[in-house]
Amino acid sequence: MDRGDLNLPDINWNSTSIQGNKVNSGINKRLLDMIHNCHMEQTVTFPTRLDNTLDLFLTNRPSLINRCSPLPGISDHDAVFIETSAAAKRGKPVKRKIHLWKRADNEKLKKECLEFQQQFLDKYTIQSSIAEMWLDISTALTNILDSSVPSKMTTSRFSQPWITKEIKALSRRKKRCFNRVKSSNRSRDKKKYQHLKSATKTACKKAYNDYLTNIISPDCTSNPKRFWSFINSKNKDSSGTSCKHVWPVLKNIRVQTAEEEGMTSTMKHYNCHYYATVSVNELVFFNHHL
């Protein structure tokens, strides 16, 4: 699906023909050819500005369009209302490997790297193939990493970084209780499920706030990357609100923690000249409304 204000008044969309010369005919023809080659259909058949259909909606699945009608716009164009049967699929987080560097065997890592260095120098010369050498280096380093640094795979269910072991246990208890309610339909099980649901929600909220507080604690000035990586991860382009709209606000924030009132601005690295002071709780509240 694609949509937009293309400002091509010469095209008659009822007959898909070019009538008029207000715009270069080559542009009109190129658009019609593209729509034909992509097997798409233009669904807006009514005028959106005066007598011209300028705002278009293209789709290769016209059977999914339930309604296409004009609405009063805030400019000189009418708005196009589209109702479809399409539903966006929300994919589960992909499992990925996490290396546990705190449990790494640094001595073994250093020893194997030195051994590989000597083997590499003995094996290759200046005439050796670069592709072959690079393949040997990448394979060896991967093997050294796997043998010296323990790792684990992330779960697809608990992907948020603030989820703790206690929350995972509560969530599993809640899920088991929910299955029990479906099979028994007893009021006692329903009350227990509601209690576990409330407890899990409260625990998640507390863990999330604690996680956010730790990010913007005094560590924020010495290592601001973690804080701004989190802010960037809150991008909501898919739901219509982009993080780029709050950057001007965030760049003027100086975080004031409960432990240190006169904390140095987190944004000195960004050469801002004006700073607003906010508390941790205020920033948590602000984050909930991004």
Side-chain angles (χ1 to χ4, degrees), residues 148-182:
S148 304
V149 183
S151 62
K152 67 176 183 179
M153 299 298 293
T154 60
T155 62
S156 58
R157 185 180 177 196
F158 303 106
S159 59
Q160 295 84 355
W162 57 84
I163 297 296
T164 62
K165 292 182 179 179
E166 292 75 14
I167 293 177
K168 289 181 180 180
L170 266 176
S171 181
R172 293 187 183 103
R173 286 179 59 196
K174 184 187 74 170
K175 186 176 181 180
R176 289 195 300 268
C177 189
F178 176 75
N179 293 333
R180 194 181 307 121
V181 169
K182 285 200 302 182

Side-chain angles (χ1 to χ4, degrees), residues 59-84:
T59 178
N60 62 347
R61 298 289 298 276
S63 60
L64 296 178
I65 307 299
N66 299 327
R67 178 184 172 193
C68 178
S69 58
L71 293 176
I74 59 175
S75 66
D76 57 348
H77 288 242
D78 287 339
V80 178
F81 176 79
I82 301 289
E83 181 181 318
T84 74

Side-chain angles (χ1 to χ4, degrees), residues 19-71:
Q19 299 175 357
N21 55 1
K22 295 179 181 178
V23 179
N24 187 298
S25 60
I27 298 177
N28 294 317
K29 187 175 184 305
R30 189 173 301 177
L31 176 64
L32 292 176
D33 290 343
M34 182 196 70
I35 294 174
H36 175 75
N37 293 335
C38 295
H39 306 286
M40 303 184 81
E41 183 176 318
Q42 205 287 112
T43 60
V44 181
T45 58
F46 47 82
T48 59
R49 184 180 185 275
L50 301 179
D51 296 328
N52 302 312
T53 304
L54 304 181
D55 303 88
L56 312 179
F57 189 87
L58 307 173
T59 178
N60 62 347
R61 298 289 298 276
S63 60
L64 296 178
I65 307 299
N66 299 327
R67 178 184 172 193
C68 178
S69 58
L71 293 176

Side-chain angles (χ1 to χ4, degrees), residues 109-282:
L109 190 66
K110 183 178 180 180
K111 179 182 176 182
E112 292 187 356
C113 285
L114 291 174
E115 290 176 354
F116 170 71
Q117 178 189 18
Q118 190 59 44
Q119 293 172 4
F120 183 85
L121 294 175
D122 295 339
K123 182 177 179 180
Y124 297 104
T125 65
I126 195 172
Q127 287 82 24
S128 300
S129 167
I130 294 177
E132 183 183 354
M133 288 190 292
W134 169 244
L135 179 62
D136 196 8
I137 290 173
S138 60
T139 303
L141 292 181
T142 301
N143 293 335
I144 292 172
L145 184 66
D146 291 339
S147 64
S148 304
V149 183
S151 62
K152 67 176 183 179
M153 299 298 293
T154 60
T155 62
S156 58
R157 185 180 177 196
F158 303 106
S159 59
Q160 295 84 355
W162 57 84
I163 297 296
T164 62
K165 292 182 179 179
E166 292 75 14
I167 293 177
K168 289 181 180 180
L170 266 176
S171 181
R172 293 187 183 103
R173 286 179 59 196
K174 184 187 74 170
K175 186 176 181 180
R176 289 195 300 268
C177 189
F178 176 75
N179 293 333
R180 194 181 307 121
V181 169
K182 285 200 302 182
S183 60
S184 68
N185 202 26
R186 292 184 298 187
S187 59
R188 184 179 64 181
D189 292 336
K190 289 181 180 179
K191 289 181 180 180
K192 185 176 181 181
Y193 169 72
Q194 291 296 333
H195 172 73
L196 287 173
K197 183 179 178 181
S198 177
T200 304
K201 183 178 180 180
T202 301
C204 284
K205 187 175 181 180
K206 182 180 183 303
Y208 177 80
N209 289 342
D210 291 343
Y211 171 80
L212 188 58
T213 302
N214 290 334
I215 286 181
I216 57 178
S217 65
D219 177 62
C220 190
T221 50
S222 59
N223 184 23
K225 182 178 179 181
R226 187 182 177 207
F227 171 74
W228 292 108
S229 295
F230 171 77
I231 294 298
N232 193 49
S233 71
K234 300 300 291 181
N235 192 311
K236 296 183 179 179
D237 284 336
S238 60
S239 59
T241 305
S242 174
C243 217
K244 65 184 180 182
H245 298 303
V246 300
W247 275 107
V249 178
L250 291 174
K251 285 187 176 181
N252 292 331
I253 288 177
R254 181 178 69 195
V255 178
Q256 183 179 20
T257 65
E259 296 82 8
E260 184 176 1
E261 294 183 358
M263 181 178 177
T264 306
S265 169
T266 63
M267 286 310 299
K268 280 189 176 180
H269 304 281
Y270 298 89
N271 299 321
C272 290
H273 302 290
Y274 171 76
Y275 303 98
T277 302
V278 297
S279 67
V280 170
N281 290 334
E282 288 172 332

